[in-house]
Amino acid sequence: VDMGIAESLRVERAPAPIRSRVLDNLRQAILDRKLAPGQRLIERELVEATGVSRTSIREALRELAAEGLVTTIPNKGTIVSQVSVAEARQLYQVRAALEALAGRLFVENATDAQRRQLTTSFRAVERAASKDSSVWLAAKDKFYDVLFLGGGNEALRSISNQLHARINLLRSLSLTRPGRAAEAVAELADIVAAVAAGDAEAAAKACSRHVDNAGEAAFGQLALEAVV
């Protein structure tokens, strides 16, 4: 692990549980592509980079494996997971269906307070569009938390949560395409407008359109990585 990456992974001693901070730092390094797809993760190097115990590293790697962000390969060890264009397309197909349903259910079931929360969270996404990817992804997470919660379908939320880490990996990748953040803000604005109009069908279509456009951006960036 080079010095630049090691600096971002370093875990400072603080009140927050060490395990969760190690996990957060490693996850963010993967989302930011500081730990590249296919890169081997050597426990000894991660211990040196983070300054924590081997046990903390192993626990974090187990959690990342459960999230699908790292993969253990026999005789090779643990590597950062690689997502092919074909796998990404499958994920985005599922995501489009889930979020279209979430948009429809939000219009049908959300309280007035939740509708206001959706608008507030959208404003936060607008402000985050010019900031780094971690701030952007956190703002979008809050937007979708409100959207899925307001829909009132716990099964839908559970399924979405299972895909969360891998979806965020692709979200961060799509944002590397110039201009994508501004496009995404406009697409989310369409969702908020459909909700304000009480139009469930328009909300579903706006959610699906946003996912489709994000997917195209991610597929393009994956293809570029493959060439490189």
Side-chain angles (χ1 to χ4, degrees), residues 21-171:
R21 300 189 71 236
V22 173
L23 177 60
D24 288 345
N25 286 9
L26 287 172
R27 184 190 293 115
Q28 195 59 51
I30 292 171
L31 294 178
D32 290 342
R33 292 331 226 209
K34 291 177 181 177
L35 295 175
Q39 180 174 340
R40 186 182 175 200
L41 300 179
I42 301 171
E43 287 185 5
R44 173 179 48 78
E45 293 183 355
L46 293 176
V47 167
E48 293 174 358
T50 59
V52 302
S53 70
R54 188 178 293 264
T55 298
S56 294
I57 292 298
R58 287 177 176 171
E59 289 176 348
L61 291 178
R62 279 196 293 269
E63 183 65 29
L64 292 171
E67 294 177 2
L69 294 181
V70 303
T71 305
T72 300
I73 299 177
N75 302 319
K76 186 173 182 181
T78 301
I79 66 167
V80 178
S81 296
Q82 295 172 290
V83 181
S84 68
V85 173
E87 290 169 330
R89 287 190 185 281
Q90 292 174 6
L91 276 171
Y92 272 95
Q93 285 173 345
V94 173
R95 183 185 159 195
L98 293 177
E99 293 185 17
L101 179 57
R104 184 186 303 279
L105 291 177
F106 189 90
V107 171
E108 295 173 353
N109 299 320
T111 64
D112 289 341
Q114 288 169 331
R115 293 171 193 274
R116 290 192 294 272
Q117 287 173 356
L118 191 72
T119 299
T120 299
S121 62
F122 168 68
R123 299 303 178 200
V125 172
E126 280 187 309
R127 293 191 295 273
S130 61
K131 299 179 181 179
D132 65 40
S133 63
S134 63
V135 176
W136 164 265
L137 290 174
K140 283 201 73 180
D141 280 347
K142 290 181 181 178
F143 178 88
Y144 279 105
D145 284 345
V146 176
L147 188 73
F148 277 84
L149 182 62
N153 188 314
E154 288 301 316
L156 182 62
R157 288 182 67 203
S158 177
I159 294 169
S160 176
N161 286 338
Q162 290 173 28
L163 298 174
H164 180 265
R166 298 187 76 193
I167 285 174
N168 259 3
L169 180 62
L170 292 168
R171 276 180 180 155

